[in-house]
Amino acid sequence: MTGGIRINRIRILILATLILTLSSCAGAAADIYVNSTDSIQAAVTAVNQGDVIIVDPGTYTENVDINGKTNLLIKSSADPADTVIAPADVNKDVITIRNSNTITIQGLNITGAGNDKAGIYVYKSNNC
């Protein structure tokens, strides 16, 4: 009789450990790496709250739209002078942040905004 109780306790302990381990990984922030052959926009689209996008040196020719994101950091992995974002369309802002909260852009060289356009345009967003 004691052998049966002991096995059940071990099973419960293993199951509890597994549940705690899996739940501690859920929602954990991830580092997403972007290299010069990737798209920053694709990374922005794929991120979850709290993730960090780390951009490798290179020139990224694209307009980046950050919409409806929360607690996101986009940063360079190296010297900001070597990590450049230039617009694919000079008639749009280089980076647009809208309907978002707590967005940080760090260590990037954002250049080439057209007339009446911004390097970073923030609209209806807080703590950016």
Side-chain angles (χ1 to χ4, degrees), residues 50-65:
D51 287 351
V52 176
I53 297 174
I54 302 169
V55 183
D56 285 342
T59 298
Y60 298 83
T61 305
E62 60 183 305
N63 298 81
V64 179
D65 183 22

Side-chain angles (χ1 to χ4, degrees), residues 18-68:
L18 180 62
I19 290 170
L20 287 173
T21 302
L22 291 175
S23 66
S24 68
C25 294
D31 290 345
I32 299 170
Y33 292 88
V34 177
N35 66 48
S36 61
T37 61
D38 297 330
S39 163
I40 297 170
Q41 181 63 57
V44 166
T45 301
V47 296
N48 294 309
Q49 180 174 329
D51 287 351
V52 176
I53 297 174
I54 302 169
V55 183
D56 285 342
T59 298
Y60 298 83
T61 305
E62 60 183 305
N63 298 81
V64 179
D65 183 22
I66 303 168
N67 185 9

Side-chain angles (χ1 to χ4, degrees), residues 17 19 25 40 51 68 73 81 91 103 109 117 126-127:
T17 303
I19 290 170
C25 294
I40 297 170
D51 287 351
L73 169 61
N91 296 311
I103 307 299
N109 181 355
K117 297 300 169 191
N126 297 305
N127 303 314

